[in-house]
């Protein structure tokens, strides 16, 4: 079964550094998402992306965050200047269609970001 | 903003006992999805409910969508150790057309053999 793949699985960075988290969504999917989960807490929406542009974003997704689909397969999340509170598990997800039409989100295994 | 709460936060059962988690939204939902996250894993889609009062079954799991489409429940009959994990409900965030899926607070299920 096709999978969403994320790299790296774990990233350690110093406060103030830039990080790029990478994702390869399922190939025929059109909608892409980033979520984050602070340890033991709920899964929080960051951003959705469709047709090469952001369709929605949360209040968490401020100017320090950006997303890009640099080619036909990768989908990246960049954090420009990391803060301690950015430490979390970041999940990439994709869906074939708009999820309201019975098109579930398929999640990757996540990237654990640790900011020291 | 929209909130999706689940109770209980944590449930510990003996294998073979039943389990139920309840999901409540502050707003009416056009549909609701359920996901399961195993410890150390990622959310995995279980099911979507769309109609008011809808009930769907998957083997030992029964999902229900409330008549007012503001609440939902997941019931597991005769739990097994493989049921361990966190169960999340999720619904569209905000009114109108949205591509934002808001997850509930989750219920962590522990099953003792």
């Amino acid at each position: 079964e096709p999978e969403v793949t994320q790299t790296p699985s774990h990233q350690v960075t110093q406060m103030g550094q830039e990080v790029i988290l990478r994702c390869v969504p399922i190939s025929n999917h059109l909608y892409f998402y980033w979520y984050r989960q602070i340890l033991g807490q709920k899964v929080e929406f960051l951003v959705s992306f469709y047709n090469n542009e952001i369709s929605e974003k949360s209040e968490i997704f401020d100017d320090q965050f950006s997303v890009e689909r640099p080619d036909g397969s990768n989908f990246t999340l960049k954090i420009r200047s990391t803060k301690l509170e950015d430490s979390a598990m970041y999940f990439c997800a994709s869906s074939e269609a708009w999820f309201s039409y019975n098109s579930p989100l398929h999640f990757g295994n996540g990237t654990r970001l640790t900011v020291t | 903003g929209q909130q999706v709460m689940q109770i209980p936060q944590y449930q510990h059962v003996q294998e073979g006992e039943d389990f139920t988690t309840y999901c409540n939204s502050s707003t009416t939902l056009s549909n609701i999805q359920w996901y399961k996250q195993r410890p150390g894993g990622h959310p995995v889609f279980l099911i979507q409910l769309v109609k008011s009062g809808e009930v769907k079954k998957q083997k030992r799991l029964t999902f229900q969508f409330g008549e007012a489409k503001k609440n939902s429940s997941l019931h597991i009959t005769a739990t097994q150790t493989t049921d361990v994990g966190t169960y999340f409900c999720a619904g569209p965030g905000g009114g109108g057309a949205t591509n934002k899926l808001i997850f509930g607070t989750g219920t962590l299920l522990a099953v003792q053999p």
Side-chain angles (χ1 to χ4, degrees):
Chain A
E1 187 174 321
E3 290 182 341
V4 175
T5 57
Q6 289 186 244
T7 54
S9 56
H10 192 190
Q11 174 95 48
V12 182
T13 189
Q14 288 191 327
M15 196 167 52
Q17 296 295 305
E18 174 183 287
V19 293
I20 297 177
L21 310 183
R22 303 181 190 279
C23 170
V24 179
I26 295 173
S27 61
N28 66 331
H29 284 189
L30 300 177
Y31 295 80
F32 315 117
Y33 314 83
W34 283 100
Y35 282 80
R36 79 172 187 190
Q37 185 176 36
I38 295 170
L39 187 62
Q41 298 187 24
K42 68 176 182 177
V43 181
E44 295 179 293
F45 171 82
L46 293 178
V47 66
S48 60
F49 191 88
Y50 169 70
N51 201 24
N52 278 321
E53 60 183 26
I54 290 173
S55 43
E56 289 182 83
K57 59 184 181 180
S58 72
E59 58 275 7
I60 302 170
F61 194 89
D62 61 22
D63 293 344
Q64 293 301 310
F65 290 85
S66 62
V67 289
E68 194 177 34
R69 188 154 163 82
D71 53 43
S73 59
N74 291 284
F75 180 50
T76 61
L77 174 69
K78 182 194 290 186
I79 309 175
R80 287 189 185 80
S81 178
T82 50
K83 305 180 189 119
L84 294 175
E85 54 265 36
D86 293 328
S87 294
M89 180 71 89
Y90 287 80
F91 290 108
C92 173
S94 67
S95 63
E96 191 172 357
W98 191 23
F99 67 75
S100 286
Y101 293 113
N102 204 24
S103 182
L105 269 58
H106 295 256
F107 284 83
N109 288 330
T111 294
R112 179 162 297 285
L113 177 64
T114 302
V115 182
T116 60
Chain B
Q2 178 191 15
Q3 292 189 8
V4 183
M5 306 296 291
Q6 286 181 250
I7 54 171
Q9 211 172 348
Y10 172 76
Q11 180 95 52
H12 179 213
V13 300
Q14 295 284 329
E15 190 172 22
E17 291 182 338
D18 292 357
F19 160 77
T20 304
T21 173
Y22 299 92
C23 171
N24 292 286
S25 170
S26 57
T27 60
T28 302
L29 302 171
S30 59
N31 67 87
I32 195 156
Q33 299 183 8
W34 284 89
Y35 290 78
K36 176 184 177 181
Q37 184 178 28
R38 292 184 188 275
H42 58 276
V44 174
F45 174 77
L46 295 176
I47 209 160
Q48 182 176 28
L49 304 169
V50 178
K51 298 176 186 173
S52 169
E54 187 171 13
V55 178
K56 285 189 177 179
K57 292 192 176 186
Q58 284 181 350
K59 298 182 181 177
R60 294 178 294 103
L61 278 61
T62 302
F63 303 84
Q64 186 166 10
F65 200 9
E67 294 290 340
K69 301 184 80 173
K70 293 184 72 174
N71 57 73
S72 181
S73 64
L74 158 59
H75 179 81
I76 302 178
T77 304
T79 54
Q80 300 174 359
T81 54
T82 52
D83 295 326
V84 164
T86 301
Y87 292 85
F88 292 99
C89 61
T98 179
N99 211 29
K100 179 166 65 175
L101 190 64
I102 301 299
F103 279 71
T105 48
T107 296
L108 174 59
L109 172 64
V111 180
Q112 184 163 355

